[in-house]
Amino acid sequence: MFEPTAVYTPDPTRYESMRYVHSGDSGLQLPEVSLGLWHNFGDITPYAQMKEVVFTAFDNGITHFDLANNYGPEPGSAEKNFGRIMREYFPCHRDEMVISTKAGYEMWDGPYGRGGSRKYLLSSLDQSLERLGLDYVDIFYHHCMDPDTPVEESMGALAQAVNSGRAIYAGLSNYDGPTLEQAAAILDELHVPFVINQNRYNIFDRTIERNGLKETAKKLGKGLITFSPLEQGLLTDRYLNGIPADSRIAHDGRFLGEDALTDERMGQIRELNAIAQQRGQTLAEMALAWLLHDDAVTSVLVGASKPQQVLDDIAAMNNTDFTDEELRRIDEIAGA
């Protein structure tokens, strides 16, 4: 175990303000709000800024930190940067954390740098552990379905990751219901602790309601952690009066472009914002609360580039009750 090389003393009351939920039928508990280190922990972000975001998250009971091999930019840099934070400030707190990573999307050139093959998944996990400076991760996910690889091979690789001690639990990400059911049966037969699915889900994006993932996960007793809860910032009040100079659209168009702000979408955002105001919440708080009220959802992954954003996201836990009329109206506005 590394010795910390810098001083950081976590808030001793950090667990009091967070709720923890079992991931499906498993014994693993996750915080209702987890921190995703997608594109705010790459090399374009100042290290001090990343460090303060992690400090704020941990000080407020966020114990789960989610990565993938290709998170950056550049690919791999999020794991490298988080590994540095762990080494310098958190080695004494490793057992208080759930750290996850994934492999599936393209990470390096050639035929072995993507997909679901045993070769790729296990090689990628070794590289992730080296970047993180860890002996193991708590959850290792297959990041996406691969139609060119037998599901049995991909699940066998997850089994090897767990059996070798390089991961404690297995997870699946971006699967649909039928493939989830097939994969879960294989993992059960292999006695692999598969406990969670990670999928995109928010008021606007209802894919997992249509492809069977949400229903199947609940039926099988598997957890569900959701990403993009704010639809890349559209489910906030950021764009109600135009495009701010410091917004994602203005300075980083990789994931959200100006063409997303159609008249129809803006109308939906304004109507949802009105409901949020009636509830005494910001639109972002309501969007997160809408996910947290759902008993199929274990945890919501949030991204943050500033400490205050972490605190704002946690505030959504203060009111997760919705009337039937509010839920009906939200579905109607979203076209669900």
Side-chain angles (χ1 to χ4, degrees):
M1 181 72 73
F2 290 112
E3 291 296 325
T5 58
V7 176
Y8 163 63
T9 304
D11 188 328
T13 67
R14 58 190 176 277
Y15 298 119
E16 297 176 7
S17 58
M18 180 58 65
R19 295 192 295 263
Y20 300 88
V21 180
H22 282 276
S23 184
D25 294 337
S26 78
L28 178 66
Q29 296 183 64
L30 296 178
E32 285 197 334
V33 177
S34 298
L35 186 65
L37 284 67
W38 181 21
H39 52 79
N40 291 323
F41 278 72
D43 288 337
I44 61 174
T45 303
Y47 178 70
Q49 186 174 319
M50 293 185 280
K51 178 185 70 176
E52 292 303 319
V53 167
V54 173
F55 287 0
T56 301
F58 195 65
D59 280 343
N60 287 276
I62 293 179
T63 54
H64 178 212
F65 300 87
D66 181 75
L67 298 121
N69 57 357
N70 61 351
Y71 286 0
E74 295 290 324
S77 61
E79 290 178 328
K80 181 191 67 177
N81 290 324
F82 184 72
R84 177 183 171 187
I85 294 171
M86 285 294 299
R87 181 176 65 253
E88 293 182 353
Y89 298 98
F90 286 95
C92 298
H93 300 281
R94 172 64 183 95
D95 291 336
E96 297 176 67
M97 294 178 166
V98 171
I99 299 172
S100 57
T101 196
K102 317 175 195 72
Y105 291 112
E106 184 170 7
M107 180 58 187
W108 63 84
D109 293 337
Y112 315 121
R114 70 181 74 82
S117 72
R118 184 180 181 87
K119 164 72 173 173
Y120 171 52
L121 294 181
L122 295 176
S123 297
S124 180
L125 177 56
D126 286 343
Q127 291 182 21
S128 290
L129 292 174
E130 183 174 356
R131 285 189 291 268
L132 288 165
L134 300 176
D135 295 327
Y136 71 95
V137 290
D138 297 276
I139 304 170
F140 181 51
Y141 290 91
H142 185 209
H143 206 168
C144 56
M145 297 183 294
D146 178 12
D148 298 321
T149 301
V151 177
E152 291 82 0
E153 179 175 346
S154 300
M155 297 310 102
L158 293 183
Q160 178 64 24
V162 172
N163 292 337
S164 67
R166 288 176 283 177
I168 294 179
Y169 300 98
L172 301 176
S173 183
N174 298 304
Y175 272 55
D176 60 23
T179 315
L180 161 62
E181 190 146 24
Q182 180 186 3
I186 297 167
L187 291 170
D188 284 347
E189 187 175 335
L190 295 172
H191 303 290
V192 176
F194 159 47
V195 299
I196 195 160
N197 299 274
Q198 185 174 138
N199 290 78
R200 183 185 180 94
Y201 189 36
N202 60 57
I203 288 173
F204 285 148
D205 191 333
R206 306 296 185 92
T207 301
I208 66 170
E209 295 177 358
R210 298 189 298 269
N211 70 9
L213 185 284
K214 180 180 173 183
E215 179 183 358
T216 303
K218 190 170 184 179
K219 179 183 73 173
L220 297 177
K222 306 302 181 183
L224 172 62
I225 185 168
T226 63
F227 65 89
S228 293
L230 304 181
E231 189 68 0
Q232 300 301 312
L234 291 182
L235 285 165
T236 72
D237 58 11
R238 290 280 282 161
Y239 302 106
L240 287 174
N241 300 303
I243 301 176
D246 63 345
S247 67
R248 182 170 295 167
I249 288 179
H251 73 85
D252 185 357
R254 288 175 296 152
F255 306 107
L256 184 67
E258 188 173 350
D259 57 356
L261 299 178
T262 64
D263 290 342
E264 179 183 6
R265 183 62 90 199
M266 290 305 304
Q268 292 173 308
I269 294 170
R270 292 188 182 97
E271 289 187 76
L272 291 169
N273 189 60
I275 296 176
Q277 289 179 331
Q278 292 168 5
R279 289 171 49 81
Q281 292 180 308
T282 66
L283 176 52
E285 288 173 351
M286 185 183 79
L288 292 169
W290 180 85
L291 289 164
L292 291 172
H293 96 281
D294 190 333
D295 62 3
V297 174
T298 304
S299 182
V300 176
L301 273 170
V302 300
S305 58
K306 302 173 184 176
Q308 185 59 47
Q309 292 173 337
V310 176
L311 301 177
D312 292 344
D313 291 336
I314 291 173
M317 297 191 308
N318 295 333
N319 181 12
T320 59
D321 293 327
F322 287 79
T323 67
D324 290 342
E325 175 58 23
E326 285 175 331
L327 294 174
R328 184 199 66 77
R329 183 67 182 130
I330 289 170
D331 284 349
E332 181 180 68
I333 292 168

